Amino acid sequence: MLRHLYSLSLYVLLPLLLLYFWWRSRKDPAYRQRLAERFGFGLARQLQRSGGIVVHAVSVGEVIAAIPMIHQLQQQYPDKPITVTCTTPTGSATIQSRLGSGVQHCYLPLDYPGAVRRFLKALQPELLVILETELWPNLLQSCARRAIPVVVVNARLSARSARGYRRFAAFTRPLLQHIKLLLAQDRASARRFRALGYQGDLQVTGNLKFELAVPATTGDLLARFKPAFAGRIVWVAASTHAGEDEQLLAMYPRLKQQFPELLLLLVPRHPERFEQVAGLVAQAGLSLWRRSSIALSDTSTPVPVLKSDIVLGDSMGELLAWYQLADLVFIGGSLIKRGGHNPLEAICFGKAVQSGPWFFNFNDVYRQLQQQQAVTLVADSNELAESTRRLLTDTAGRQAQGKRGHTFFLQQQGAMSRTVRAIDTLVMGTMMQSSMQQEQDYQVKQQGNAIYWFEPAFFQDISAEHFQSHWWQQQQAVIGSSAGRNTAYFVRHQQHNLVLRHYYRGGLVGKVLHDQFLMQPVQTSRAMQEYQLLSWMRQQGLAVPRPVAASYQRSGLIYRADLLIELIPDSKDLAAILQQRALSGSEWQAVGAAIAQMHQLGVYHSDLNCRNILLDGTGKVWLIDFDKCERRSMAAWTTQNLDRLLRSFNKEKGKLNPFFWQESDWQQLQTGYQQQLQEQSSAA
């Protein structure tokens, strides 16, 4: 009865809800777009695949927190489509920019019974994963009727929210019973959920917001913008709201008298306020440079050296780059009664953080940071100005605060692996756990800031020297090298021939950071990801190199990585072979079949080219170099993979003479590819 009354009230409030969307759309047109999605219409035509996993993250903060988990779910379930939903336009923009075509995306419909039915009928999910406590009665009830398990991850329940739920215990208690698995951020939240009557599987897995995934584009942005900020003291005011920008602009001239090089970088929380904030800067008589003055896609126009007083970060998805450029960070939504925003993204980069008194949305995090002396809390704008003056004067103290925050951040990690492991147990049971144990047939060693994986069949013990080319040279064990973009060394270890490869960055960012990667969990680091993928592919019968050891060396906010693999004996890559002779039709067909086998297993090769395909002395085809590769659901990327390979043949033909390659060879390769697909289809 209570749920029916709830649904009736939603219908009564529908005119007000539509009026709200219209009011918000005056400043942000996205609020009046895609309205059909919000009522569950047209989803069957919009989404390519049904089934799989739906992950719901309400807005930007939840989406960013979910990204590492989503990437891991894609690795665990490459054959299942993953659909990511949200409720805000900014959340939608973040999903599309950070996850792209790797996932399906739509808005979660409003909690009307008909809208929810249409949504579930179109998607037919096998599992619904909800971040935090975005619990909608009709959605949960409908999932229960269809036997769709619901998992709530990163669940947080403050004492204040728990009191509110208790007032409606007759309504909330049955609601909670529709949740199959509840993964809480902390023990206090877990106790409160139990007190509210939740009787299902409940685990404390930690806070996913400590598992920050830094987008690859962030490094490019950093390399491009860093010279423009040279010589400036950068004070980033992030996620600001109306009422805060005015206070920050008022205190800026006073601070600049003491710090002439001070640059205030304002990043409003909502894009519809960009023009308003630009107007406030003009009214204050301050000079302004807008990020939007250079198009996102324009990489040729140099960023001018910034001489202005204020920079307006009027772009989406670039806050992490601004944090890395900052000397000091103020987290908005806290000088007004908005409740504050997530400070962890700034703390991840070792930045000293300030907040106003209103941070109740992240109360537990701020209190923990306060205990670690890793945040500066102020009561009002006057105290904010004074704390800014003090922190900018005391460089050593400011850096020490940032270091304490960063240390705390590292100590809290592990939530993502615990969360995915719990979901695995729910979805796949003991069979999946047994399979995972079989795949992870390696030993782990930790030594200081370094972590090593290695196969006992190759190494009884391992250390940093095994990943250093000069050490192998001292042992007179280097038997050759491969000169590509970066050198790989062939080394002799006991009776084994191995390849040692150090990981380097490419492109513009590689000129700045070279071999330094922004810190991330060990399991998802470059070397360990390739190690796991190679091990799995070998178990599936693919001809790929055997991984024998991997290295993850952390230093501050970055890590470096190395990989040792078994050398494929008596082999050459196709580019080298084609400089000496043409391949036979059967050889080309074998190449096509090997690529088809890889694609059938859902393996995406990010750099499929003629130098990453080998033939050994017996004519066997080997595929190599799986850095930044991953398991995916079958989709259009397979065609894109082949197109990339074709371009590489044409490119080498234009560079090398002789080069025994012609268009008819590609037809033979395609024949082998299609025959392999048909054989697999017939066998199925």
Side-chain angles (χ1 to χ4, degrees):
M1 177 62 71
L2 287 172
R3 193 173 60 83
H4 289 310
L5 290 174
Y6 160 79
S7 298
L8 179 61
S9 67
L10 287 180
Y11 286 113
V12 171
L13 293 171
L14 180 58
L16 291 177
L17 186 62
L18 295 174
L19 184 63
Y20 167 79
F21 283 124
W22 172 82
W23 179 74
R24 291 297 301 268
S25 71
R26 293 184 306 160
K27 294 183 178 179
D28 185 356
Y31 275 93
R32 62 173 173 264
Q33 298 165 355
R34 299 166 55 190
L35 274 177
E37 280 181 41
R38 296 188 181 273
F39 293 93
F41 290 110
L43 295 178
R45 295 189 303 272
Q46 176 182 335
L47 302 175
Q48 296 180 352
R49 298 180 63 190
S50 59
I53 301 171
V54 172
V55 178
H56 176 60
V58 59
S59 192
V60 176
E62 291 77 15
V63 170
I64 292 173
I67 287 174
M69 179 190 72
I70 292 169
H71 285 320
Q72 192 64 29
L73 290 174
Q74 289 174 317
Q75 294 286 313
Q76 297 290 84
Y77 309 109
D79 298 325
K80 296 182 185 294
I82 294 183
T83 304
V84 184
T85 66
C86 65
T87 58
T88 68
T90 51
S92 176
T94 304
I95 292 168
Q96 293 176 67
S97 65
R98 296 283 186 94
L99 295 168
S101 60
V103 300
Q104 300 185 126
H105 165 59
C106 64
Y107 283 128
L108 184 75
L110 300 166
D111 202 38
Y112 291 93
V116 170
R117 281 196 302 271
R118 288 186 288 272
F119 173 77
L120 294 177
K121 182 179 179 181
L123 270 74
Q124 301 178 27
E126 301 169 36
L127 177 70
L128 172 62
V129 179
I130 299 174
L131 259 79
E132 301 192 3
T133 49
E134 185 78 2
L135 307 180
W136 295 103
N138 285 323
L139 177 63
L140 294 181
Q141 174 73 18
S142 295
C143 286
R145 286 177 176 173
R146 290 166 173 79
I148 301 169
V150 175
V151 181
V152 178
V153 306
N154 218 41
R156 177 172 57 93
L157 188 64
S158 66
R160 177 182 178 182
S161 297
R163 287 193 296 270
Y165 279 119
R166 278 196 295 270
R167 294 192 189 100
F168 303 96
F171 186 56
T172 58
R173 188 180 292 267
L175 182 70
L176 291 173
Q177 303 319 313
H178 295 320
I179 300 171
K180 183 73 172 178
L181 172 64
L182 197 154
L183 305 178
Q185 288 187 16
D186 50 61
R187 296 185 184 278
S189 292
R191 287 195 300 269
R192 290 167 189 145
F193 278 113
R194 285 295 190 208
L196 287 175
Y198 179 69
Q199 298 174 356
D201 187 359
L202 191 154
Q203 302 175 34
V204 177
T205 50
N207 191 341
L208 285 175
K209 292 184 176 178
F210 286 97
E211 307 284 342
L212 182 65
V214 180
T217 54
T218 299
D220 296 329
L221 284 168
L222 184 62
R224 188 177 178 205
F225 278 89
K226 193 171 184 178
F229 286 79
R232 302 300 298 271
I233 301 172
V234 182
W235 184 28
V236 172
S239 299
T240 58
H241 291 258
E244 291 183 309
D245 299 291
E246 294 87 342
Q247 297 181 63
L248 292 162
L249 291 171
M251 70 180 73
Y252 173 80
R254 300 195 303 272
L255 290 168
K256 191 174 183 182
Q257 289 179 3
Q258 184 174 351
F259 306 99
E261 300 305 319
L262 181 64
L263 174 67
L264 174 58
L265 200 165
L266 287 173
V267 188
R269 177 71 174 181
H270 298 115
E272 61 264 31
R273 295 192 60 249
F274 290 160
E275 292 301 327
Q276 178 188 351
V277 175
L280 292 173
V281 175
Q283 291 173 20
L286 300 170
S287 56
L288 174 68
W289 184 80
R290 299 181 64 159
R291 167 65 181 91
S292 60
S293 64
I294 296 180
L296 294 174
S297 59
D298 182 5
T299 58
S300 59
T301 303
V303 181
V305 176
L306 297 175
K307 301 296 184 182
S308 60
D309 298 314
I310 311 295
V311 166
L312 179 59
D314 53 348
S315 59
M316 296 297 296
E318 297 184 352
L319 185 56
L320 296 183
W322 304 142
Y323 280 150
Q324 292 179 75
L325 291 168
D327 295 288
L328 180 64
V329 175
F330 166 73
I331 305 296
S334 60
L335 282 179
I336 58 172
K337 295 182 180 180
R338 174 63 178 77
H341 292 292
N342 181 15
L344 298 178
E345 294 171 353
I347 285 169
C348 164
F349 298 110
K351 302 301 179 180
V353 167
Q354 306 163 290
S355 172
W358 306 104
F359 49 78
F360 51 79
N361 289 334
F362 294 87
N363 186 67
D364 292 340
V365 170
Y366 275 103
R367 291 307 179 197
Q368 288 175 299
L369 291 173
Q370 192 177 27
Q371 291 172 5
Q372 303 293 323
Q373 296 182 317
V375 67
T376 299
L377 303 178
V378 300
D380 52 34
S381 60
N382 290 328
E383 285 194 15
L384 178 61
E386 182 54 37
S387 82
T388 303
R389 191 174 287 111
R390 185 182 71 255
L391 288 167
L392 293 182
T393 301
D394 183 7
T395 301
R398 184 178 73 248
Q399 292 174 347
Q401 178 183 314
K403 186 175 181 179
R404 289 192 294 270
H406 178 243
T407 300
F408 170 75
F409 183 91
L410 293 178
Q411 291 170 347
Q412 304 303 309
Q413 290 191 328
M416 187 269 288
S417 59
R418 289 188 289 269
T419 297
V420 173
R421 192 159 55 241
I423 293 173
D424 278 342
T425 303
L426 172 65
V427 176
M428 303 299 290
T430 55
M431 185 181 297
M432 169 59 79
Q433 288 182 318
S434 174
S435 175
M436 287 176 62
Q437 290 170 0
Q438 185 179 6
E439 289 177 15
Q440 294 181 351
D441 187 20
Y442 55 78
Q443 290 189 12
V444 179
K445 177 181 177 180
Q446 183 163 2
Q447 192 172 37
N449 288 333
I451 294 176
Y452 307 108
W453 292 1
F454 63 98
E455 267 222 37
F458 287 77
F459 295 94
Q460 293 181 347
D461 194 9
I462 204 162
S463 61
E465 61 193 17
H466 290 101
F467 299 95
Q468 297 167 356
S469 58
H470 61 80
W471 181 83
W472 290 100
Q473 290 169 344
Q474 290 171 2
Q475 309 306 308
Q476 297 183 342
V478 174
I479 58 176
S481 63
S482 169
R485 185 177 66 192
N486 297 291
T487 301
Y489 291 91
F490 306 148
V491 299
R492 180 74 177 170
H493 175 63
Q494 298 174 356
Q495 73 272 28
H496 305 292
N497 291 336
L498 308 177
V499 181
L500 171 62
R501 195 174 85 235
H502 188 67
Y503 286 78
Y504 293 91
R505 284 186 173 276
L508 176 63
V509 70
K511 300 182 185 302
V512 179
L513 298 179
H514 195 46
D515 65 345
Q516 303 174 43
F517 300 90
L518 293 172
M519 180 198 63
Q520 58 183 296
V522 176
Q523 290 275 349
T524 57
S525 64
R526 294 280 281 270
M528 276 51 177
Q529 273 202 327
E530 187 170 358
Y531 189 110
Q532 293 175 97
L533 183 59
L534 287 171
S535 296
W536 180 84
M537 287 191 293
R538 286 178 61 83
Q539 289 176 10
Q540 309 310 309
L542 285 180
V544 298
R546 182 179 183 179
V548 298
S551 164
Y552 173 98
Q553 303 250 0
R554 183 171 59 81
S555 176
L557 296 175
I558 60 95
Y559 76 91
R560 294 177 173 86
D562 304 89
L563 183 69
L564 276 165
I565 59 176
E566 195 170 27
L567 179 67
I568 300 168
D570 190 22
S571 63
K572 290 183 179 180
D573 65 62
L574 295 189
I577 295 173
L578 291 170
Q579 292 178 66
Q580 299 172 350
R581 68 174 179 87
L583 268 63
S584 68
S586 61
E587 287 176 318
W588 281 118
Q589 290 181 25
V591 171
I595 297 169
Q597 288 177 324
M598 177 179 70
H599 285 172
Q600 286 170 326
L601 289 171
V603 177
Y604 165 75
H605 198 303
S606 63
D607 190 23
L608 188 62
N609 65 64
C610 59
R611 295 188 181 275
N612 287 333
I613 303 172
L614 310 183
L615 285 180
D616 67 15
T618 67
K620 185 176 181 178
V621 179
W622 296 78
L623 303 174
I624 65 169
D625 195 3
F626 285 86
D627 180 30
K628 296 189 292 186
C629 302
E630 60 186 6
R631 294 165 64 186
R632 293 181 174 180
S633 302
M634 290 286 282
W637 60 262
T638 57
T639 301
Q640 296 166 2
N641 248 192
L642 291 171
D643 290 344
R644 184 184 185 94
L645 177 59
L646 177 58
R647 287 196 300 271
S648 80
F649 282 119
N650 288 323
K651 179 180 177 181
E652 297 295 347
K653 186 174 180 64
K655 289 168 48 180
L656 303 174
N657 189 19
F659 191 74
F660 299 96
W661 152 260
Q662 52 191 354
E663 290 295 330
S664 60
D665 295 332
W666 183 251
Q667 299 305 318
Q668 293 283 359
L669 184 152
Q670 289 274 36
T671 298
Y673 184 93
Q674 294 301 328
Q675 286 177 348
Q676 173 63 32
L677 294 182
Q678 290 167 7
E679 289 175 8
Q680 182 67 25
S681 177
S682 300

